[in-house]
Amino acid sequence: MNKNRRTARNTAVVLLALSLSPLALCAQKESKTAQAMAKQGMANVWDYDKSIQVSLMYGRADNFTGTVLYDDLRQAYLHPKAAAALAKAQKRLKQLRPDLSLKIYDAARPMSVQQKMYRVVRGTSKSIYVSNPRNGGGLHNYGMAVDITLCKAATGDTIPMGTVIDHLGILAHIDNEAQMVSRRQISREAKRNRELLRSVMRHAGFTPLSTEWWHFNFVSRATAKKYYKVIK
């Protein structure tokens, strides 16, 4: 291979790597959904910490609804206060475990998406896991909640947490994890990983949801309804 061809190939490899990086994705034109969120005061999490990984589960069909709910959204948005706090949680995690990273599966969520989600569980035992839009929705709809896990910083591979994210069932609850371990329903490693996630999120001011190990709120529902606006 001559020098010119080798140089061209190396350049192409570098450009491909850059096109897949968070920096490049931030530079790309924002989608209509992202633009709408920004106009309503939401902030791109990568503006606060580009090392936080993002894999929006409702941008794929492998979620509890079985459908794609975000047609054009690939980046995570939160209220600026929550986004800044999440960066603080990532910093704390890096102090404790430099090999790990936070990985977002859902963040700010338009009420139109909340309505689609609730229709799937309405009238079933799973309805307790999805906030009713008629009651003002949940904190995702204010940009004040995040669904998140831990992953390996180098590869993005998630680490054991006992269940897959979005598991609507008792094994996702956080109040009886010791019993789950004793019954061999989740591993000791998964329990430790959940505890680490809660530790760094609490350090930043987030509160865990008892029924979903991956869900964290930054303010109470009463505070959100009083001081913040629902995302349309």
Side-chain angles (χ1 to χ4, degrees):
M1 181 183 294
N2 62 42
K3 182 178 180 180
N4 289 338
R5 290 178 62 187
R6 184 165 57 250
T7 300
R9 187 187 69 175
N10 291 340
T11 299
V13 170
V14 171
L15 290 175
L16 177 61
L18 288 173
S19 70
L20 297 175
S21 70
L23 288 170
L25 288 172
C26 284
Q28 292 175 2
K29 183 179 179 180
E30 292 181 329
S31 68
K32 290 183 178 179
T33 302
Q35 290 177 28
M37 286 194 180
K39 287 180 180 178
Q40 294 176 77
M42 298 298 109
N44 189 327
V45 169
W46 280 339
D47 289 340
Y48 291 80
D49 190 330
K50 293 180 174 63
S51 70
I52 296 174
Q53 302 203 27
V54 177
S55 179
L56 299 184
M57 60 183 167
Y58 299 118
R60 309 184 301 270
D62 59 336
N63 59 70
F64 81 91
T65 71
T67 60
V68 175
L69 299 178
Y70 295 144
D71 294 326
D72 63 350
L73 187 65
R74 297 296 178 267
Q75 300 171 26
Y77 281 75
L78 285 171
H79 187 281
K81 291 182 180 180
L86 196 62
K88 182 178 179 180
Q90 176 80 334
K91 182 178 180 180
R92 179 60 176 163
L93 177 61
K94 291 297 184 180
Q95 292 171 343
L96 299 174
R97 291 287 304 271
D99 59 313
L100 297 180
S101 173
L102 295 174
K103 186 174 185 179
I104 299 172
Y105 277 92
D106 197 32
R109 181 189 302 158
M111 187 60 82
S112 58
V113 173
Q114 186 74 23
Q115 291 167 341
K116 293 177 182 178
M117 293 172 65
Y118 189 74
R119 282 197 291 268
V120 174
V121 299
R122 183 174 54 198
T124 75
S125 61
K126 305 296 185 182
S127 62
I128 63 170
Y129 297 101
V130 182
S131 296
N132 191 335
R134 289 188 177 182
N135 298 329
L139 290 173
H140 281 291
N141 305 126
Y142 295 87
M144 288 293 190
V146 63
D147 291 337
I148 201 160
T149 190
L150 298 175
C151 71
K152 296 179 181 178
T155 63
D157 295 335
T158 55
I159 63 177
M161 303 298 280
T163 73
V164 296
I165 202 164
D166 220 18
H167 173 85
L168 306 186
I170 194 69
L171 294 185
H173 295 206
I174 69 173
D175 49 358
N176 290 309
E177 290 170 338
Q179 291 183 9
M180 293 178 196
V181 171
S182 66
R183 295 169 182 167
R184 297 184 179 180
Q185 294 172 310
I186 67 172
S187 68
R188 292 186 184 277
E189 180 186 7
K191 181 175 179 290
R192 288 195 299 268
N193 291 340
R194 289 185 183 189
E195 291 168 345
L196 174 59
L197 177 61
R198 291 197 292 269
S199 174
V200 300
M201 294 297 282
R202 282 175 169 145
H203 174 80
F206 287 90
T207 302
L209 185 66
S210 64
T211 56
E212 298 173 358
W213 61 257
W214 58 84
H215 181 108
F216 293 85
N217 296 324
F218 189 62
V219 298
S220 69
R221 189 172 303 214
T223 297
K225 288 184 176 181
K226 184 175 181 179
Y227 295 106
Y228 304 101
K229 294 182 180 180
V230 166
I231 304 166
K232 298 179 180 179

